[in-house]
């Protein structure tokens, strides 16, 4: 019998690719979603986080749960209401999963939850590991609350893995197309000082890591999900322009301009996070994309120039 994986937020960027990769490897996949679309390729159970509702069949279906759901951090301006949504969509959803696991007879063997390297705050040039001090800005507080809510499942006796994702690189969405757009329009430039570190991971490596966390029982606790070689924003912008065969003509985009346009959300692109992949490497996991040029080539060497 193939193992059954229930993915919350499975319709998103990571969930879509992860679902394909799981199916290719012989798993059965279902999504737990706010909308049960008839057109989804996957069996879809519905939940309503605000109403505290989950279709109980979702929990009885699953051998493993992968928790990805959350309101997009970079999608909208950070009003107080949006910030509440960013927090509650992650924390209330994990609380709901936990409550449902407590009250339902089930055969779930583990929970793998996403988190983000934003938990470290702005760490400058300092290389941070899973043991490092955590930050205290908005995203760090969100991640701390998100991890604490996921961690309840561990306290209830299920194997729990938390993957602190770096910037997930994909040509289908997320940060990369947004960073590429100005370069494509001949208006690419480093952001702020350009010295802030960007700890990235290729989407296929991120998904392989989720699958590994399901399969390998030594995985337990918190892991950074980043490639081994983070780069500065300046290096990232230069590398991206190179693979797109575009010149970088503009000077840096000053920090005050980013603050003006983005408000507090500018934290997302101005905070420096130089994050270590050592703990994951020590498990024996090997990255297909260790260096940024290899990762970018996989997207842009083809047609997207
Ligand atoms: N992509 C990255 O670079 C990155 C980096 C660090 C961390 N992460 C984290 O990894 C997770 C998955 O990332 P992703 O890029 O795949 O995200 P995504 O494309 O934005 O997808 C997230 C999914 O969450 C669900 N969702 C959206 N708004 C929601 C809300 N208000 N309440 C409940 N569910 C909501 C949606 O699924 P339904 O519509 O089916 O409900 C959506 O498809 C996210 O939690 C994200 O914060 C991502």
């Amino acid at each position: 019998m193939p193992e059954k994986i229930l993915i919350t937020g499975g319709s998103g960027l990571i969930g879509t690719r992860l679902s394909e990769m799981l199916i290719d490897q012989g798993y059965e996949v279902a999504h737990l979603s706010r909308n049960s679309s008839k057109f989804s390729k996957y069996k879809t159970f519905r939940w309503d986080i605000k109403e505290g509702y989950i279709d109980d069949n979702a929990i009885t279906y699953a051998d493993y749960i992968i928790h990805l759901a959350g309101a997009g951090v970079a999608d909208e301006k950070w009003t107080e209401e949006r910030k509440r949504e960013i927090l509650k969509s992650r924390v209330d959803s994990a609380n709901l999963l936990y409550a449902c696991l407590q009250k339902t007879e089930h055969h779930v063997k583990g929970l793998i939850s996403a988190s983000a390297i934003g938990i470290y705050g702005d760490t400058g040039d300092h290389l941070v590991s899973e043991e490092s001090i955590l930050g205290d800005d908005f995203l760090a507080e969100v991640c701390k609350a998100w991890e604490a809510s996921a961690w309840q499942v561990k306290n209830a006796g299920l194997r729990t893995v938390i993957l602190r994702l770096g910037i997930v690189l994909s040509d289908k969405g997320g940060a990369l197309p947004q960073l590429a757009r100005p370069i494509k329009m001949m208006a690419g430039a480093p952001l702020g000082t350009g010295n802030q570190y960007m700890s990235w991971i290729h989407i296929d490596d991120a998904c392989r890591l989720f699958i590994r966390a399901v399969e390998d029982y030594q995985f337990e606790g918190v892991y950074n999900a980043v490639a081994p070689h983070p780069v500065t924003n300046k290096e990232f912008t230069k590398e991206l322009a190179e693979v797109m065969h575009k010149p970088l003509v503009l000077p840096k985009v000053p920090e005050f301009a980013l603050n003006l346009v983005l408000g507090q959300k500018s934290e997302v692109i101005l905070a420096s996070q130089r994050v270590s992949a050592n703990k994951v490497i020590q498990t024996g996991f090997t990255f297909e994309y260790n260096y940024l040029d290899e990762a970018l080539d996989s997207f842009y060497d083809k047609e997207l120039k």
Side-chain angles (χ1 to χ4, degrees):
M1 281 280 280
E3 293 219 283
K4 297 187 170 101
I5 314 289
L6 177 72
I7 309 179
T8 77
S11 62
L13 180 70
I14 299 172
T16 301
R17 182 69 185 126
L18 179 57
S19 301
E20 289 167 1
M21 288 172 73
L22 282 163
I23 295 286
D24 284 351
Q25 294 193 25
Y27 289 93
E28 257 187 46
V29 171
H31 290 174
L32 186 55
S33 170
R34 293 164 301 163
N35 315 293
S36 47
S37 161
K38 278 189 241 138
F39 305 107
S40 173
K41 279 201 269 181
Y42 304 99
K43 182 195 278 286
T44 303
F45 300 100
R46 209 180 70 78
W47 65 349
D48 185 327
I49 295 152
K50 286 186 187 117
E51 295 295 321
Y53 167 78
I54 290 191
D55 180 342
D56 284 343
N57 296 318
I59 300 298
T60 53
Y61 165 89
D63 292 308
Y64 284 93
I65 301 175
I66 296 182
H67 181 38
L68 300 177
V73 164
D75 292 356
E76 292 180 26
K77 196 148 187 177
W78 285 2
T79 59
E80 286 310 310
E81 193 189 345
R82 184 63 183 171
K83 281 164 57 177
R84 233 181 344 266
E85 181 74 15
I86 289 172
L87 177 71
K88 287 172 80 65
S89 57
R90 291 172 170 78
V91 173
D92 293 0
S93 54
N95 287 340
L96 191 53
L97 286 173
Y98 172 67
C100 200
L101 284 164
Q102 291 287 87
K103 74 173 172 48
T104 314
E105 186 98 5
H106 64 81
H107 50 88
V108 177
K109 290 186 257 181
L111 171 79
I112 322 297
S113 178
S115 175
I117 59 168
I119 199 163
Y120 300 113
D122 187 337
T123 63
D125 290 353
H126 184 63
L127 184 69
V128 292
S129 75
E130 290 79 353
E131 309 304 323
S132 296
I133 295 169
L134 304 180
D136 55 11
D137 59 19
F138 169 65
L139 284 183
E141 295 299 342
V142 168
C143 292
K144 285 190 254 180
W146 188 9
E147 293 192 4
S149 57
W151 209 240
Q152 297 174 95
V153 173
K154 151 88 181 148
N155 296 334
L158 290 188
R159 187 166 69 87
T160 303
V161 183
I162 292 177
L163 298 181
R164 291 180 179 160
L165 291 157
I167 301 164
V168 176
L169 298 184
S170 161
D171 54 356
K172 308 274 186 316
L176 184 59
Q178 297 198 39
L179 291 164
R181 195 170 306 126
I183 295 175
K184 203 168 180 175
M185 292 159 63
M186 301 291 200
L191 304 171
T193 62
N195 295 329
Q196 69 275 31
Y197 271 90
M198 299 173 67
S199 293
W200 56 274
I201 182 167
H202 190 288
I203 190 160
D204 286 359
D205 278 336
C207 293
R208 287 172 55 243
L209 198 46
F210 273 100
I211 297 172
R212 180 70 185 273
V214 166
E215 291 175 347
D216 185 343
Y217 278 64
Q218 75 170 305
F219 271 77
E220 171 109 59
V222 173
Y223 297 82
N224 294 329
V226 293
H229 300 284
V231 294
T232 63
N233 174 269
K234 215 183 297 172
E235 289 163 339
F236 193 105
T237 312
K238 189 165 163 281
E239 197 75 63
L240 184 53
E242 251 170 56
V243 294
M244 293 174 73
H245 304 289
K246 299 282 184 199
L248 280 183
V249 281
L250 295 181
K252 296 167 191 156
V253 182
E255 197 168 321
F256 77 85
L258 292 165
N259 287 330
L260 208 66
V261 176
L262 300 173
Q264 195 188 350
K265 200 175 81 174
S266 62
E267 267 178 29
V268 176
I269 44 183
L270 293 174
S272 180
Q273 273 132 9
R274 187 177 179 202
V275 177
S276 166
N278 269 349
K279 187 173 173 189
V280 154
I281 292 169
Q282 276 164 18
T283 67
F285 181 83
T286 53
F287 289 84
E288 197 176 333
Y289 302 95
N290 284 280
Y291 291 94
L292 183 65
D293 58 340
E294 299 166 350
L296 294 178
D297 276 351
S298 77
F299 304 120
Y300 289 94
D301 219 26
K302 302 169 283 179
E303 76 281 10
L304 262 173
K305 286 177 183 152

